[in-house]
């Protein structure tokens, strides 16, 4: 683990190492398709990352390369993680950074789940 996925995937990225158990994480939810864990540098009272178990670099890579089973399983897992966090009554935000314009730092596809307070406007004005 992680298995399958993109030819250009970097197996040494930090989320690959978390999936292999080489570095710890604060786990929220796990199933055969996804792992959800708390972000190490939270931007909101609740800030959780959801990652697929396969070797996908970004949202673009995942949606082009992953099987329908993996895609469905991953998004169901993300919903289950948000529910397990108790975020549904007050609401939450999901975001995925792709590439350098979005400041994607870790080249393993991930969703950010933010919650626990009113989250303000969708994007900062520059
Ligand atoms: P992005 O900029 O969308 O690639 O987000 C990467 C996220 O991964 C950032 O919010 C980091 O704080 C987070 N992160 C980096 N290393 C770790 C780690 N070891 N455990 C948990 N979160 C991490």
């Amino acid at each position: 683990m992680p298995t399958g996925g993109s030819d250009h995937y970097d197996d040494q990225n930090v989320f690959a190492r978390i999936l292999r158990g080489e570095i710890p994480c604060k786990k929220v939810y796990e199933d055969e398709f996804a792992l959800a864990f708390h972000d190490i540098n939270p931007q909101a009272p609740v800030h959780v990352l959801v990652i697929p178990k396969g070797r996908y670099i970004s949202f673009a890579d995942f949606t082009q390369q992953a099987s329908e089973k993996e895609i469905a399983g991953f998004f169901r897992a993300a919903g289950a993680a948000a529910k397990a966090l108790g975020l549904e009554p007050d609401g939450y935000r999901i975001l995925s950074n792709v590439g350098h314009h979005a400041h994607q730092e870790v080249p393993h596809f991930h969703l950010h789940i933010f919650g626990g307070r009113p989250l303000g406007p969708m994007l900062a004005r520059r």
Side-chain angles (χ1 to χ4, degrees), residues 14-15 38-41 49 97 103-106 110 112:
V14 65
F15 295 167
H38 289 278
D39 196 292
I40 206 166
N41 183 24
L49 302 169
N97 294 315
H103 296 211
Q104 182 181 357
E105 288 171 13
V106 180
H110 50 283
H112 296 258

Side-chain angles (χ1 to χ4, degrees), residues 87-100:
L87 295 175
E88 285 186 0
D90 290 328
Y92 55 94
R93 180 171 291 158
I94 291 180
L95 175 152
S96 186
N97 294 315
V98 183
H100 67 280

Side-chain angles (χ1 to χ4, degrees), residues 12-84:
Q12 293 312 313
N13 81 74
V14 65
F15 295 167
R17 298 188 64 206
I18 287 174
L19 283 170
R20 290 196 296 267
E22 294 170 6
I23 48 179
C25 72
K26 234 175 112 187
K27 192 195 298 186
V28 167
Y29 177 88
E30 182 171 19
D31 64 21
E32 68 175 293
F33 300 105
L35 174 67
F37 53 95
H38 289 278
D39 196 292
I40 206 166
N41 183 24
Q43 308 294 312
V46 177
H47 183 176
V48 162
L49 302 169
V50 189
I51 67 176
K53 293 215 165 160
R55 300 166 67 255
Y56 301 103
I57 296 168
S58 67
F59 176 76
D61 187 34
F62 182 66
T63 51
Q64 285 159 34
Q65 308 282 344
S67 68
E68 292 182 12
K69 191 175 170 194
E70 288 175 291
I71 292 171
F74 174 77
F75 282 99
R76 279 195 205 284
K83 190 168 186 184

